[in-house]
Amino acid sequence: MNYAISLTIEAEHDLARLPSAVRRFCGVQLRLLGDAPTVLSKPSRFPYREKCQMFQFGCLHANDRWELNALFQYSQDETTLVIIGIRFSKLPRGAESGEGFPQI
Amino acid sequence: MNIVLKNQVEASEKSAQELEEEISHAHGWALLCYNVQDLSRSAVNLLSEIGTDVDRWQRDLADNAQQDAQMDRLGSEWEALYRRLAGVFEKTAGLLHRLETEGFAIDGKPEFFAAWKELRGIVCFSVDGVAKSVEQAHRGQTRSLGEIELELRDLPDN
């Protein structure tokens, strides 16, 4: 089942803060998430009263490794993934666990 | 909150600090390797234990539909504990790197870095920010990805 993707205002601001190339990459990845959320995400242990799911992905851009984290919930009617937030860590290349990140 | 976990995080912080000082004038590398390995395992276990407690707390909240301010406040306490643990992970990663540059291999390295990645995915958010965003979702203040992308298409990079 494919899910539509929607973002809260907060998540929208997160997306806007990304450089355009990373933002486009993020959009592509979120659509992939919509195709297979159970495969690509896992329950987050973020300490908020409601359970959220975590989708972690990344890319190499300019001289950095971008590690992106999208927190989301399923909509009540189970048709949409509601993105709650998108945050990133920017780490120097060669740092751990950047293997397999695509260059954008 | 489980006071034992809090104390364990504090002990790990102390241990990471001591090992950092020790490694700068190290003589007994074998013992250092053992201690760093032990610290990295402890950090991974602590993350798992905190996560288990957070799961239990979320289930308890879901079972009690009533708002309970005291229960709710625990979220911020977990958040603070996760952040302290992130500091331990960061120091431990530095110690692992240092030992590797000295030619030592550490067991459990992939598990350590996988756990640290998971933790980074937690501490990059704040409870207050997530609460605000979830409220927006509940009020229907959301827009589709396509619509947002169209609008941001021409936004210049900072």
Side-chain angles (χ1 to χ4, degrees):
Chain A
M1 177 179 171
N2 287 5
Y3 290 82
I5 306 290
S6 71
L7 285 78
T8 64
I9 298 166
E10 286 293 303
E12 201 177 305
H13 291 164
D14 289 343
L15 192 64
R17 278 192 282 267
L18 297 172
S20 51
V22 179
R23 192 163 61 231
R24 280 192 298 274
F25 174 75
C26 194
V28 171
Q29 294 300 311
L30 290 178
R31 284 194 174 81
L32 289 174
L33 174 69
D35 293 340
T38 50
V39 177
L40 295 175
S41 73
K42 61 180 184 182
S44 167
R45 287 165 158 199
F46 184 79
Y48 180 62
R49 59 175 13 254
E50 294 177 21
K51 267 271 173 218
C52 297
Q53 289 286 120
M54 170 58 70
F55 172 44
Q56 292 189 297
F57 55 103
C59 62
L60 303 172
H61 173 61
N63 286 318
D64 295 308
R65 181 168 67 85
W66 289 71
E67 190 176 81
L68 294 128
N69 303 286
L71 205 59
F72 71 94
Q73 291 182 323
Y74 290 89
S75 65
Q76 290 219 328
D77 61 5
E78 295 273 332
T79 60
T80 305
L81 305 183
V82 181
I83 310 296
I84 301 299
I86 304 163
R87 293 295 165 97
F88 65 87
S89 311
K90 208 167 67 170
L91 304 164
R93 285 203 187 193
E96 289 297 332
S97 73
E99 310 85 28
F101 281 5
Q103 172 76 50
I104 60 167
Chain B
M1 175 182 289
N2 186 339
I3 195 75
V4 176
L5 277 178
K6 220 172 190 171
N7 290 341
Q8 283 175 330
V9 170
E10 194 172 327
S12 295
E13 285 175 326
K14 199 169 162 222
S15 180
Q17 184 63 39
E18 284 170 359
L19 285 170
E20 246 185 9
E21 286 160 16
E22 207 176 317
I23 208 165
S24 59
H25 40 81
H27 306 294
W29 286 106
L31 183 62
L32 258 175
C33 279
Y34 176 81
N35 288 339
V36 170
Q37 200 165 281
D38 197 39
L39 178 64
S40 70
R41 282 193 184 134
S42 295
V44 172
N45 289 339
L46 275 169
L47 178 62
S48 170
E49 285 176 38
I50 295 173
T52 303
D53 273 17
V54 168
D55 280 343
R56 193 180 305 125
W57 168 71
Q58 285 172 324
R59 274 200 306 274
D60 288 347
L61 280 171
D63 292 343
N64 299 306
Q66 261 179 311
Q67 292 271 343
D68 181 333
Q70 200 178 348
M71 281 280 275
D72 240 0
R73 249 197 317 274
L74 276 177
S76 302
E77 291 189 27
W78 294 126
E79 182 180 26
L81 200 59
Y82 273 133
R83 289 190 193 287
R84 287 175 65 183
L85 187 60
V88 173
F89 267 84
E90 194 153 359
K91 280 187 176 167
T92 308
L95 291 164
L96 287 173
H97 180 69
R98 176 70 201 281
L99 287 173
E100 280 193 338
T101 57
E102 296 290 340
F104 296 97
I106 300 291
D107 284 347
K109 185 181 152 189
E111 293 80 5
F112 172 82
F113 280 102
W116 193 27
K117 185 180 172 191
E118 181 187 352
L119 183 55
R120 284 198 298 270
I122 292 172
V123 297
C124 64
F125 294 97
S126 72
V127 169
D128 289 346
V130 168
K132 187 177 173 188
S133 194
V134 170
E135 277 305 308
Q136 290 170 352
H138 289 174
R139 287 197 298 266
Q141 293 175 318
T142 61
R143 292 201 299 162
S144 75
L145 175 62
E147 189 184 346
I148 295 163
E149 280 180 322
L150 263 181
E151 203 171 285
L152 295 178
R153 198 177 43 189
D154 300 322
L155 186 74
D157 287 340
N158 290 327

